[in-house]
Amino acid sequence: MGRRVRAFRKLKGYTQQELADSTGISLAVLGAVERGNRRLEDQILNKIADVLGVTVQELSDPT
C-alpha cells in the first residue's frame, strides 16, 4: 500500500510534508508508510484517501 500512497501523492502534486500536514500525521509516520514499514489505522487511511481524492480500495488494491 505504501507504494500506492506515494504514487498517488506524487500524481496529485503533494509533497510528503503537505500530505502529512493535511492528514494530521507526522512526516516520519508518512515516510514509514510509504516505505512499507508501517500500517495505518483505518481513520488515517480514510483521511489520506480523502485528501488525495481516491478511495481506500484504490490505495490498497494493486490492480
Side-chain angles (χ1 to χ4, degrees):
M1 176 180 25
R3 283 190 259 168
R4 296 191 57 80
V5 170
R6 180 184 299 136
F8 279 114
R9 175 181 59 76
K10 289 183 175 186
L11 182 66
K12 301 293 181 164
Y14 284 97
T15 65
Q16 280 187 325
Q17 186 67 62
E18 290 170 333
L19 183 57
D21 290 345
S22 295
T23 57
I25 62 174
S26 72
L27 181 59
V29 169
L30 180 58
V33 168
E34 288 190 357
R35 289 188 304 275
N37 296 333
R38 183 167 178 162
R39 295 189 53 84
L40 289 172
E41 298 172 8
D42 289 342
Q43 181 182 8
I44 300 298
L45 186 57
N46 286 329
K47 284 184 184 180
I48 289 174
D50 286 344
V51 170
L52 294 177
V54 297
T55 66
V56 171
Q57 184 173 355
E58 287 174 298
L59 290 178
S60 304
D61 189 5
T63 58

